[in-house]
C-alpha cells in the first residue's frame, strides 16, 4: 500500500541503493526512504538473511517487514557479469549506495568506492562495518550484542553482584542506522556545495561508543574504574503498584513536591533530609518503602492518569499497546501496509513530521510502501534502466535476477 503525498519530503528525488542486510544498514536506508528517497533494496538470490530469522508470522520475518519499509526490491547476483552490469547501470543513476560488507569484500565484488566513484563521481558511498576499516579487528564480523559486550554496555546493565546483561532490541544496530541516515544526509548537503560525492564509514563500534558519550570521559588524575553513570537514584525507577508497574522520575523540586502531594506524603516534600536529588538517593532505603506503600493503593494505570502532567511517569506496558495508544494515533506514527506474503498489517511509518501540522493535515507524512518481496520490483527496475522485455526474460531465465 502506498499513500500519495501532496508535499515533497526533504529527500524526494534522491536515489538510494541498499546493498546491506540484517538491521543497521537496511534500517538506515529505510530512514532515508521515510524522508522521501527512492530506495532500491538489492538482495542476492538467497535474499537478506533477516528474512530467515524466527518469526511467528508464517510467511515473512516480522523484523524484515519492520526494517525494510519504503523500498523497492531487486534480486541480483553480483557475482555474475550480467548482474554486475545491472548494478553499474544503477550506480550511474544513483545518489547513494549503502552496504555492510566486511572490508575486502567490496574489492572482490568490484563495488569498492574507488571503482564506483569512477563510474559516478557524485555518488555518496556509505559502508557500515562492525569495527571500521582499519585496526586489528577490521575484518571481524560485528553484531549488535557482540559490540554491547565489548564496549561496556552489558557490564553497565548488571545489577549489584549480578551478571552482565544485554539490552534487547538491537539498540546498537538502530543507533548505527540513525548515524547512517544522518551522515548520508550531511554528505548530500555537502555535495550540493561541492558537486562531488564521498565515502562515509559508519561502524557498530562507533555507534556503541557514541551511545555512551556521557560515560566516556576520563579526567586526569581519576582512577580508571569509577562510577560513570548519571543514575539519580532515590525513588527514580520502576515500582510495583496494586496492579502493574509504574516508572517514576521526580528529580526536580517541582516534581518531587507534586509526587509527595499525590501520594499523601507531604511531610517528605520539604524535609531537610530529602530536599535534594543527592539526599534522596542517599536515603533510598527509607523513601522507597514509603513510596511503594502509597503506590499500592491504586493500579499503575490509575496513578499515571492521576499524575498526568504533574509527575513524569509511565505505566510499564508491552509494545503491543503502542498499536492503538492514543498519543501514537494522534501523531500518526502507525500506518496500514499490505504485503503479498504477510497480508495486511500495521507498522511504523513516520517518526518525524516535515512541514508542520498544516502539511500533515494535507497528507504529507510520506509515502508508505511495505517491505518488498524478494525481487518484487525487478522487472520494473530493469525496464527503467533500459533493458528490453526479452533481455529481462533472459536475465530471469539465467537467474541473474529474480
Amino acid at each position: 500500500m502506498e499513500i500519495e503525498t501532496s508535499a515533497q519530503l526533504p529527500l524526494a528525488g534522491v536515489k538510494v541503493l541498499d546493498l546491506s542486510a540484517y538491521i543497521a544498514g537496511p534500517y538506515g536506508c529505510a530512514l532515508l526512504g521515510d524522508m522521501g528517497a527512492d530506495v532500491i533494496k538489492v538482495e542476492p538470490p538467497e535474499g537478506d538473511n533477516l528474512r530467515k530469522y524466527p518469526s511467528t508470522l508464517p510467511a515473512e520475518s516480522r523484523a524484515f517487514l519492520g526494517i525494510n519499509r519504503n523500498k523497492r526490491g531487486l534480486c541480483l547476483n553480483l557475482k555474475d557479469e550480467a548482474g554486475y552490469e545491472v548494478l553499474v547501470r544503477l550506480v550511474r543513476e544513483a545518489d547513494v549506495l549503502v552496504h555492510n560488507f566486511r572490508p575486502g569484500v567490496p574489492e572482490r565484488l568490484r563495488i569498492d568506492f574507488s571503482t564506483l566513484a569512477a563510474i559516478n563521481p557524485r555518488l555518496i558511498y556509505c559502508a557500515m562495518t562492525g569495527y571500521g576499516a582499519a585496526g586489528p579487528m577490521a575484518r571481524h564480523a560485528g553484531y549488535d550484542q557482540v559490540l554491547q559486550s565489548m564496549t561496556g554496555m552489558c557490564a553497565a546493565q548488571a545489577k549489584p553482584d549480578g551478571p552482565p546483561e544485554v539490552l534487547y532490541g538491537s539498540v546498537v544496530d538502530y543507533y548505527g542506522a540513525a548515524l547512517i541516515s544522518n551522515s548520508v544526509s550531511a554528505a548530500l548537503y555537502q555535495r550540493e556545495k561541492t558537486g562531488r560525492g564521498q565515502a562515509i564509514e559508519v561502524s557498530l563500534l562507533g555507534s556503541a561508543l557514541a551511545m555512551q558519550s556521557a560515560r566516556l570521559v576520563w579526567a586526569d588524575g581519576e582512577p580508571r574504574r569509577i562510577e560513570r553513570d548519571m543514575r539519580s537514584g532515590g525513588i527514580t525507577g520502576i515500582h510495583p503498584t496494586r496492579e502493574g508497574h509504574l516508572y517514576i522520575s521526580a528529580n526536580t523540586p517541582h516534581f518531587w513536591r507534586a509526587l509527595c502531594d499525590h501520594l499523601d506524603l507531604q511531610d517528605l516534600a520539604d524535609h531537610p533530609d530529602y530536599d535534594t536529588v543527592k539526599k534522596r538517593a542517599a536515603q533510598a532505603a527509607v523513601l522507597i518503602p514509603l513510596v511503594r506503600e502509597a503506590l499500592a493503593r491504586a493500579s499503575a494505570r490509575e496513578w499515571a492518569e492521576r499524575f498526568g502532567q504533574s509527575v513524569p511517569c509511565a505505566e510499564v506496558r508491552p509494545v503491543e499497546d503502542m498499536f492503538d495508544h492514543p498519543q501514537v494515533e494522534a501523531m500518526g506514527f502507525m500506518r496500514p501496509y499490505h504485503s503479498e506474503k504477510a497480508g495486511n498489517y500495521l507498522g511504523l511509518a513516520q517518526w518525524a513530521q516535515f512541514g508542520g501540522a498544516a502539511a500533515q493535515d494535507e497528507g504529507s507524512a510520506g509515502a508508505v510502501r511495505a517491505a518488498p518481496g524478494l525481487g518484487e520490483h525487478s522487472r520494473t527496475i530493469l525496464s527503467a534502466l533500459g533493458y528490453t522485455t526479452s533481455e529481462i526474460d533472459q536475465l530471469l531465465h539465467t537467474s541473474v535476477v529474480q
Side-chain angles (χ1 to χ4, degrees), residues 218-226 228:
W218 186 12
D220 287 347
E222 282 190 310
R224 185 181 185 89
R225 296 187 181 276
I226 56 172
R228 295 185 175 276

Side-chain angles (χ1 to χ4, degrees), residues 12 28 32-33 45-46 51 62 66 97 124 126 136 141-142 158 181 196 223 250 273 283 287 341 347 361:
L32 297 172
E46 63 273 16
R51 290 185 184 272
R62 190 184 311 278
L97 183 144
I124 306 298
C126 181
S181 175
R196 297 192 63 81
D273 288 345
Q283 297 293 327
L287 291 175
K341 283 189 173 182
D361 292 340

Side-chain angles (χ1 to χ4, degrees), residues 212-280:
Q212 301 182 84
S213 295
R215 293 175 182 152
L216 289 172
V217 175
W218 186 12
D220 287 347
E222 282 190 310
R224 185 181 185 89
R225 296 187 181 276
I226 56 172
E227 176 56 58
R228 295 185 175 276
D229 281 329
M230 299 182 295
R231 295 174 182 170
S232 54
I235 57 89
T236 294
I238 295 176
H239 301 281
T241 67
R242 187 177 66 193
E243 181 182 346
H245 289 77
L246 186 74
Y247 182 89
I248 297 173
S249 178
N251 293 326
T252 69
H254 170 77
F255 292 138
W256 169 241
R257 179 179 294 279
L259 177 67
C260 291
D261 288 342
H262 280 291
L263 299 182
D264 294 326
L265 297 173
Q266 291 87 348
D267 58 325
L268 300 181
D270 295 314
H271 195 289
D273 288 345
Y274 318 126
D275 59 3
T276 69
V277 174
K278 287 185 177 181
K279 289 180 181 179
R280 291 195 290 274

Side-chain angles (χ1 to χ4, degrees), residues 32-347:
L32 297 172
D34 292 343
M35 293 188 285
D38 176 18
V39 182
I40 297 176
K41 184 172 180 66
V42 181
E43 298 180 72
E46 63 273 16
D48 184 336
N49 281 334
L50 195 62
R51 290 185 184 272
K52 306 176 182 68
Y53 268 50
S55 171
T56 52
L57 292 176
E60 188 66 277
S61 160
R62 190 184 311 278
F64 184 87
L65 292 175
I67 286 164
N68 288 282
R69 63 180 178 269
N70 281 338
K71 300 178 185 181
R72 294 187 289 155
L74 170 66
C75 185
L76 189 62
N77 184 359
L78 293 179
K79 296 178 182 179
D80 184 280
E81 194 61 34
Y84 181 75
E85 176 54 35
V86 172
L87 183 71
V88 168
R89 290 198 194 188
L90 287 168
V91 168
R92 289 195 183 110
E93 299 182 358
D95 297 289
V96 179
L97 183 144
V98 177
H99 73 76
N100 66 337
F101 295 112
R102 279 187 270 177
V105 175
E107 288 75 13
R108 292 203 305 270
L109 293 175
R110 294 176 293 165
I111 60 169
D112 54 284
F113 175 66
S114 60
T115 298
L116 299 187
I119 297 169
N120 180 358
R122 289 176 54 83
L123 184 69
I124 306 298
Y125 180 98
C126 181
M128 163 56 84
T129 63
Y131 301 90
M137 299 183 69
R139 300 199 176 208
H140 288 209
Y143 292 94
D144 182 285
Q145 294 174 13
V146 174
L147 270 300
Q148 284 190 39
S149 299
M150 172 183 170
T151 62
M153 295 178 71
C154 294
Q157 298 307 306
K159 295 179 174 59
D161 300 321
E165 298 282 352
V166 299
L167 283 137
Y168 289 102
S170 301
V171 292
V172 176
D173 280 330
Y174 279 104
Y175 195 67
L179 295 180
I180 288 173
S181 175
N182 178 275
S183 301
V184 167
S185 298
L188 287 168
Y189 175 73
Q190 187 176 44
R191 193 183 68 177
E192 289 300 302
K193 296 184 289 184
T194 66
R196 297 192 63 81
Q198 62 176 289
I200 301 168
E201 183 185 315
V202 180
S203 68
L204 294 181
L205 175 58
S207 172
L209 296 177
M211 291 178 69
Q212 301 182 84
S213 295
R215 293 175 182 152
L216 289 172
V217 175
W218 186 12
D220 287 347
E222 282 190 310
R224 185 181 185 89
R225 296 187 181 276
I226 56 172
E227 176 56 58
R228 295 185 175 276
D229 281 329
M230 299 182 295
R231 295 174 182 170
S232 54
I235 57 89
T236 294
I238 295 176
H239 301 281
T241 67
R242 187 177 66 193
E243 181 182 346
H245 289 77
L246 186 74
Y247 182 89
I248 297 173
S249 178
N251 293 326
T252 69
H254 170 77
F255 292 138
W256 169 241
R257 179 179 294 279
L259 177 67
C260 291
D261 288 342
H262 280 291
L263 299 182
D264 294 326
L265 297 173
Q266 291 87 348
D267 58 325
L268 300 181
D270 295 314
H271 195 289
D273 288 345
Y274 318 126
D275 59 3
T276 69
V277 174
K278 287 185 177 181
K279 289 180 181 179
R280 291 195 290 274
Q283 297 293 327
V286 175
L287 291 175
I288 288 179
L290 297 174
V291 169
R292 291 186 173 180
E293 181 181 3
L295 289 173
R297 297 197 303 263
S299 70
R301 187 159 301 186
E302 289 169 332
W303 283 119
E305 292 173 353
R306 291 183 197 179
F307 290 169
Q309 301 177 39
S310 62
V311 179
C313 69
E315 176 193 3
V316 177
R317 296 175 177 235
V319 69
E320 290 81 4
D321 284 4
M322 295 302 99
F323 287 115
D324 53 6
H325 190 286
Q327 183 61 32
V328 174
E329 289 183 336
M331 293 301 296
F333 288 138
M334 307 298 294
R335 296 288 179 83
Y337 292 87
H338 178 77
S339 164
E340 185 175 326
K341 283 189 173 182
N344 297 327
Y345 63 94
L346 285 176

Side-chain angles (χ1 to χ4, degrees), residues 370-383:
L374 184 60
E376 179 179 345
H377 305 95
S378 292
R379 281 189 174 274
T380 57
I381 292 169
L382 292 173
S383 178

